Amino acid sequence: DIVAANVQIAELTSDGLEEHDPDMVSALAEHVRLETKRQDESKSLLRWQWTKCYVMPWIPRNPFHTFAIVVALLLLTTLLKGFFIYLQDVLVGSVAESAVMRVRKRLLRRVLRLDLETLSAQGTGELMSRFTYDTEQLAGGITLLGGRLIREPLKCLACAVLALVINWRLTLLSLFFVPILAAFFLRFGKTLKRASKKMMESMSRIYKVLEETFEARKIVIAFGSSRRHRDQFQNEYQRYFDKALQVVRTDALAKPSMEMLGLVALFVAMLPGAYLVIRAKTSIYGIRLAADVMDSAQLGTLYAMLAGMLDPCRKLSTTYSRIKRSAAAADRVFALMDMKPKVREVENAAPLARHKESIEFRDVKFRYPVSNESLERPAALSQINLKIEARQVVAIVGPNGCGKSTLLNLIPRFYDPTEGELRIDDTPIPQVSLNDLREQIGIVTQDTMLFDDTIAGNILYGRPTASREEVEEAARRAYVTQFSQSLPQGLATRVGEKGKDFSGGQRQRIALARAILRDPAILILDEATSAADAESESLILRALKDFSAGRTVLIITHSMSPALLALIDRIVVMDDSRIVGDGTHEQLLKECPLYDRLYHAPSRDGRAAA
């Protein structure tokens, strides 16, 4: 063929045709094509000679042996592939779990630095959702990022490079749809992320319903309200289902859209390429699309590379929704992590010496925040001016909702006053170290909170560095040993979840022992005997009488017994967020009608109440 082409060119030259003559150009193009084909065949022959010389001697002559070797090689390569996939999954999985573990640890560290007001606004269900469901979604995104999101783009890039080498013009023509594809995914991603965030918020509400149901299980069973809680769960789950279905529909749209755009991009290169090969041309309408005339083998290889680019994109489209869910989860997790506490410690906070002078409230006002800024709750504290001398035992009395607990919650800085200031030993407490402040305070709350640990472990919570002898001494002083000695394991007995294995009075004595072990300069008791029977209350007050010497003790109570009156030095009466009385028992009976009414009101157990 090449000889015939040379003869034709010689004849055309002898006829006096110029190089730009159409017949001469056609003959020259045919000569170039045949020469290129000859060179390709020469290279193929060279490769075959090399294979024949260096590879064929190792291949058995027996067809069955050759087949066995091929099968063995296939099994070996499959084994190697499986090993590397296993290795990749283990490494990526360990990285993902390690990352999520660090995120959860850091998240817990940040949450525990938040103040009570901020944590209360979030709610337990919301916090649990972010620690569990949201971080699980984040882990899924990290796993994808370390696996498919690295492997598939590399495969796509390799195919793109080979396609550009074969014919960069046709390849760029097929990539014309990439901006359109990117715009589609950008819009699609925003919709998906927004829907995913709403779905996670709905999951938080499901956690809240479950938390309330399980926490109040005794009331649920007693009142036969299981159907009501099932309906609440059903309603919240239906909202979650609707949001999840929106995510599914949006995700389902991605795959066919991606495949359609990918095929269109492939056809944009396929049709011009087929035209160039069939017509043996390098341009269409004067637009050059190939450096040389392409043959069918080159075109097939180009199409294979373009299809190789499409397959990773198709696989990535199926993981796009999971990535967006992970991004939405990351936004929620890091929003909580970046949350700033409203109660903040100043830089270079001054140390606070052990309390020995006074606690003073100066023109203190406080109002609980609300989520809706257009609404405003009534003031919890209004114009509070109160000075408590060190080593006094002071009772705070008043009707429910008058602000007694709020007043004492300002001392350990669970909240900061809206206006005014609180001073300890004439030092504004926002200027001192929070650790120094809280280390001097012991608290026994109305809802006694114990941990699922031993009695000794719960007492040791007050001061983890205490010795066993100190724990036993605190238990003795709080009359915990009175009931723990009858237990087979003594102080090593577990109290159960929230202390459910013990009575209310026993739980409060354990909580008092925890406060005693702390050796606080300021002891706060918020209805510390409300869940105790008469015997437990008597023991608690006896323990307080011994322990209160040399300490400032603040007691919120509704009942005034002779034992309590013998313990206290002063009574502060509150009503409607204000202090309406301050003095001794006898003074207040004469001067404060509210106290007189509270004191003489019959209580549930027949004693006077205040």
Side-chain angles (χ1 to χ4, degrees), residues 310-377:
L310 178 62
D311 184 63
C313 293
R314 180 185 59 79
K315 291 180 180 178
L316 287 175
S317 68
T318 62
T319 63
Y320 191 66
S321 62
R322 294 174 61 186
I323 291 298
K324 282 300 177 181
R325 283 200 293 270
S326 298
D331 287 346
R332 283 169 49 83
V333 169
F334 290 114
L336 179 59
M337 195 175 293
D338 294 336
M339 194 172 290
K340 302 296 182 183
K342 296 181 179 179
V343 176
R344 298 187 185 183
E345 187 171 12
V346 299
E347 294 184 6
N348 302 318
L352 180 66
R354 188 172 177 85
H355 163 62
K356 58 182 179 181
E357 296 179 13
S358 64
I359 301 174
E360 185 176 3
F361 296 83
R362 293 185 179 180
D363 298 323
V364 168
K365 296 180 182 179
F366 181 78
R367 190 185 304 272
Y368 285 101
V370 292
S371 56
N372 189 346
E373 296 182 357
S374 63
L375 302 176
E376 190 174 65
R377 294 181 60 175

Side-chain angles (χ1 to χ4, degrees), residues 131 143 191 222 302 529 541 545 551 587:
F131 268 94
T143 302
T191 303
L302 176 64
T529 60
L541 293 177
K545 188 172 184 63
R551 308 174 201 280
Q587 290 174 333

Side-chain angles (χ1 to χ4, degrees), residues 230-387:
R230 288 200 309 271
D231 290 343
Q232 286 181 345
F233 181 79
Q234 171 65 26
N235 292 336
E236 289 297 340
Y237 213 101
Q238 185 62 46
R239 294 190 186 95
Y240 171 79
F241 177 79
D242 294 339
K243 301 293 188 302
L245 201 59
Q246 183 181 356
V247 171
V248 170
R249 284 195 296 265
T250 308
D251 184 27
L253 181 64
K255 185 177 179 181
S257 301
M258 177 66 199
E259 288 188 353
M260 178 58 67
L261 288 173
L263 285 175
V264 169
L266 184 62
F267 291 155
V268 165
M270 180 181 291
L271 293 176
Y275 178 84
L276 294 178
V277 171
I278 293 173
R279 299 295 178 86
K281 292 187 176 182
T282 60
S283 61
I284 300 177
Y285 296 116
I287 302 174
R288 192 173 184 83
L289 295 178
D292 300 306
V293 175
M294 297 175 61
D295 57 21
S296 57
Q298 290 177 308
L299 184 63
T301 306
L302 176 64
Y303 290 161
M305 293 302 102
L306 293 177
M309 292 170 57
L310 178 62
D311 184 63
C313 293
R314 180 185 59 79
K315 291 180 180 178
L316 287 175
S317 68
T318 62
T319 63
Y320 191 66
S321 62
R322 294 174 61 186
I323 291 298
K324 282 300 177 181
R325 283 200 293 270
S326 298
D331 287 346
R332 283 169 49 83
V333 169
F334 290 114
L336 179 59
M337 195 175 293
D338 294 336
M339 194 172 290
K340 302 296 182 183
K342 296 181 179 179
V343 176
R344 298 187 185 183
E345 187 171 12
V346 299
E347 294 184 6
N348 302 318
L352 180 66
R354 188 172 177 85
H355 163 62
K356 58 182 179 181
E357 296 179 13
S358 64
I359 301 174
E360 185 176 3
F361 296 83
R362 293 185 179 180
D363 298 323
V364 168
K365 296 180 182 179
F366 181 78
R367 190 185 304 272
Y368 285 101
V370 292
S371 56
N372 189 346
E373 296 182 357
S374 63
L375 302 176
E376 190 174 65
R377 294 181 60 175
L381 296 174
S382 300
Q383 212 65 37
I384 300 295
N385 288 282
L386 177 65
K387 186 172 184 179

Side-chain angles (χ1 to χ4, degrees), residues 501-516:
D501 295 340
F502 292 90
S503 68
Q506 290 172 334
R507 290 198 299 269
Q508 286 181 320
R509 276 186 269 174
I510 295 172
L512 180 59
R514 180 169 63 196
I516 288 174

Side-chain angles (χ1 to χ4, degrees), residues 127-146:
L127 294 173
M128 290 299 297
S129 176
R130 298 200 192 197
F131 268 94
T132 54
Y133 184 77
D134 292 1
T135 51
E136 286 174 5
Q137 296 295 320
L138 182 59
I142 295 173
T143 302
L144 287 174
L145 186 63

Side-chain angles (χ1 to χ4, degrees), residues 64-337:
F64 178 77
H65 291 168
T66 303
F67 175 75
I69 290 177
V70 171
V71 171
L73 288 175
L74 181 61
L75 290 175
L76 179 61
T77 53
T78 304
L79 180 63
L80 288 174
K81 176 186 174 182
F83 171 75
F84 285 114
I85 289 177
Y86 165 80
L87 189 63
Q88 173 190 290
D89 290 345
V90 169
L91 292 176
V92 172
S94 64
V95 169
E97 291 301 325
S98 299
V100 170
M101 178 183 68
R102 292 180 63 185
V103 167
R104 282 174 171 160
K105 288 167 65 176
R106 185 178 175 187
L107 185 60
L108 180 60
R109 188 184 310 119
R110 295 288 297 179
V111 166
L112 292 179
R113 290 177 181 173
L114 296 175
D115 57 286
L116 186 62
E117 180 181 334
T118 306
L119 287 176
S120 299
Q122 291 294 312
T124 304
E126 177 72 21
L127 294 173
M128 290 299 297
S129 176
R130 298 200 192 197
F131 268 94
T132 54
Y133 184 77
D134 292 1
T135 51
E136 286 174 5
Q137 296 295 320
L138 182 59
I142 295 173
T143 302
L144 287 174
L145 186 63
R148 183 171 290 182
L149 288 182
I150 291 178
R151 182 176 65 249
E152 299 303 331
L154 287 177
K155 289 165 61 176
C156 183
L157 179 63
C159 291
V161 170
L162 290 175
L164 288 169
V165 170
I166 296 170
N167 190 318
W168 64 268
R169 295 175 178 85
L170 289 177
T171 302
L172 291 180
L173 187 63
S174 68
L175 296 179
F176 173 76
F177 281 83
V178 170
I180 301 175
L181 191 64
F184 167 76
F185 270 103
L186 182 64
R187 184 177 180 84
F188 163 73
K190 289 181 179 179
T191 303
L192 189 59
K193 187 175 181 180
R194 185 165 54 249
S196 298
K197 189 170 291 188
K198 290 181 180 179
M199 184 181 71
M200 292 172 190
E201 291 170 356
S202 184
M203 178 58 71
S204 299
R205 291 192 291 272
I206 291 175
Y207 274 78
K208 181 180 179 181
V209 170
L210 291 174
E211 177 209 353
E212 290 180 345
T213 302
F214 296 147
E215 287 288 333
R217 55 189 179 276
K218 185 182 292 186
I219 301 299
V220 173
I221 294 171
F223 282 82
S225 302
S226 59
R227 182 178 181 83
R228 176 183 177 183
H229 288 266
R230 288 200 309 271
D231 290 343
Q232 286 181 345
F233 181 79
Q234 171 65 26
N235 292 336
E236 289 297 340
Y237 213 101
Q238 185 62 46
R239 294 190 186 95
Y240 171 79
F241 177 79
D242 294 339
K243 301 293 188 302
L245 201 59
Q246 183 181 356
V247 171
V248 170
R249 284 195 296 265
T250 308
D251 184 27
L253 181 64
K255 185 177 179 181
S257 301
M258 177 66 199
E259 288 188 353
M260 178 58 67
L261 288 173
L263 285 175
V264 169
L266 184 62
F267 291 155
V268 165
M270 180 181 291
L271 293 176
Y275 178 84
L276 294 178
V277 171
I278 293 173
R279 299 295 178 86
K281 292 187 176 182
T282 60
S283 61
I284 300 177
Y285 296 116
I287 302 174
R288 192 173 184 83
L289 295 178
D292 300 306
V293 175
M294 297 175 61
D295 57 21
S296 57
Q298 290 177 308
L299 184 63
T301 306
L302 176 64
Y303 290 161
M305 293 302 102
L306 293 177
M309 292 170 57
L310 178 62
D311 184 63
C313 293
R314 180 185 59 79
K315 291 180 180 178
L316 287 175
S317 68
T318 62
T319 63
Y320 191 66
S321 62
R322 294 174 61 186
I323 291 298
K324 282 300 177 181
R325 283 200 293 270
S326 298
D331 287 346
R332 283 169 49 83
V333 169
F334 290 114
L336 179 59
M337 195 175 293

